[in-house]
Amino acid sequence: MGRVVVEVMPKPEILDPQGKAVVGALPRLGFTQFSGVRQGKRFELEVDGEVTPEILAAAQEAAATLLSNPVIEDVVSVAEATDPAEVSGEASGAPVGA
Amino acid sequence: MGRVVVEVMPKPEILDPQGKAVVGALPRLGFTQFSGVRQGKRFELEVDGEVTPEILAAAQEAAATLLSNPVIEDVVSVAEATDPAEVSGEASGAPVGA
């Protein structure tokens, strides 16, 4: 069973209130390292078989038509999920790298 | 100027109504290849200088405390943004790979 990961971000010229909220909250929690934050979306599309080039092409089309709003968002990545830890998201139940 | 990308997904055992809505809409648009969809979040954290290991550690902590709700979400990735096209999100103004 394969998975395709689609990543969508607001266009740089578009206001991103969610990102603004995060960038305002970070210093209050002691994180002063970050000067800007943008928040986008990440989709995992599951396929029953292998991730073929045809599947990736379909995912790309779905990303451009359904998963993103091309007026305000960019599809920044459409790729097969490669890392098993990333696919399951919780090999150990703990955040990756924690 | 560097960027850190943080990716957050709902835990596998948690219901994901947004993903369910997408998986219901896909076949109506002719995409019958996908059997499941999960929707998560993708953050780009901007830093003024280089992305050092200390910055990554701070991003990891911010991901676990502010950017995700550990009860229902997993932080699946915290990494420096490597691809310039991914960072800007619209080198050509068109979706990547389109």
Side-chain angles (χ1 to χ4, degrees), chain B residues 46-66:
Chain B
E46 202 171 281
V47 295
D48 286 331
E50 292 275 298
V51 176
T52 62
E54 291 74 30
I55 294 277
L56 274 180
Q60 178 74 49
E61 203 187 326
T65 54
L66 175 65

Side-chain angles (χ1 to χ4, degrees), chain A residues 8-54:
Chain A
V8 173
M9 293 299 290
K11 283 181 188 287
E13 66 271 24
I14 297 289
L15 272 179
D16 171 16
Q18 293 176 301
K20 289 279 179 223
V22 172
V23 87
L26 281 168
R28 293 199 294 275
L29 292 170
F31 300 105
T32 55
Q33 301 90 341
F34 306 106
S35 55
V37 177
R38 306 284 286 173
Q39 179 173 341
K41 295 181 284 187
R42 180 182 188 276
F43 299 90
E44 289 184 2
L45 310 180
E46 202 171 279
V47 295
D48 286 331
E50 294 274 300
V51 176
T52 61
E54 291 74 30

Side-chain angles (χ1 to χ4, degrees), chain B residues 1-56:
Chain B
M1 204 168 65
R3 279 185 210 214
V4 179
V5 172
V6 174
E7 297 179 339
V8 173
M9 294 298 292
K11 284 182 188 288
E13 66 271 25
I14 299 289
L15 272 179
D16 171 16
Q18 293 176 301
K20 290 280 179 224
V22 172
V23 86
L26 280 168
R28 293 200 293 275
L29 291 170
F31 299 106
T32 55
Q33 302 89 342
F34 307 106
S35 55
V37 177
R38 306 284 285 172
Q39 179 173 341
K41 294 182 284 190
R42 180 181 190 278
F43 299 90
E44 289 185 1
L45 309 180
E46 202 171 281
V47 295
D48 286 331
E50 292 275 298
V51 176
T52 62
E54 291 74 30
I55 294 277
L56 274 180

